Amino acid sequence: MKAKVMKPFRDKDTKTEYTKKDFYEGTEKRINELVKLGYVTVPSEEKEQDKDQSDPEIETQLKGSVEQVKQGTEGLNKEQYESLLKHEKEGKNRKGLVDHFESMLDAISPGEGE
């Protein structure tokens, strides 16, 4: 079974260190333990395939200073901003970018969720 690492940890059994960019492979029992502790998440197969294909592109878009990322991500669609926001929150979680992506989403779909 495979799971996406959500926060860095060292596996107690193998002593292997994992970062947010890694996937953890192990038994269903061990992965369930790590999920409960918040270290990994188990995406659905479809989401996992989409994520594997888009991660390098998203990571590239999120590289650089806050201003560089803002300039490099102008004019995207709702789904792209949602994906960038999710990855930024799971990664560096820079307030300037989180606020920017949220404001871009608000501008694209005003009134939703109110």
Side-chain angles (χ1 to χ4, degrees):
M1 190 169 181
K2 196 172 184 180
K4 172 76 173 118
V5 175
M6 298 306 292
K7 63 181 182 180
F9 73 99
R10 184 171 56 140
D11 186 69
K12 69 178 185 176
D13 298 330
T14 65
K15 307 297 184 213
T16 303
E17 293 186 13
Y18 294 90
T19 66
K20 287 184 183 183
K21 295 179 182 178
D22 295 326
F23 279 89
Y24 177 86
E25 289 192 56
T27 65
E28 185 173 354
K29 179 182 175 185
R30 179 65 178 138
I31 287 178
N32 287 336
E33 290 173 6
L34 292 170
V35 167
K36 287 178 186 175
L37 295 170
Y39 289 108
V40 300
T41 186
V42 181
S44 69
E45 284 186 39
E46 183 178 304
K47 285 183 179 177
E48 189 174 322
Q49 289 171 354
D50 290 346
K51 192 168 185 147
D52 286 345
Q53 293 170 1
S54 63
D55 268 353
E57 181 181 335
I58 290 172
E59 288 178 18
T60 300
Q61 288 177 307
L62 292 175
K63 281 188 179 179
S65 69
V66 170
E67 286 306 313
Q68 289 170 329
V69 174
K70 284 181 182 181
Q71 290 172 1
T73 58
E74 290 178 4
L76 301 179
N77 65 37
K78 181 179 177 182
E79 291 77 22
Q80 290 169 315
Y81 280 122
E82 287 172 342
S83 184
L84 287 169
L85 177 61
K86 179 181 179 223
H87 280 81
E88 182 61 27
K89 284 182 174 181
E90 291 173 353
K92 293 181 180 178
N93 199 23
R94 294 171 283 189
K95 182 173 176 14
L97 282 180
V98 169
D99 291 347
H100 174 71
F101 294 146
E102 288 174 344
S103 70
M104 297 307 290
L105 285 166
D106 288 344
I108 291 171
S109 51
E112 284 187 21
E114 291 182 7

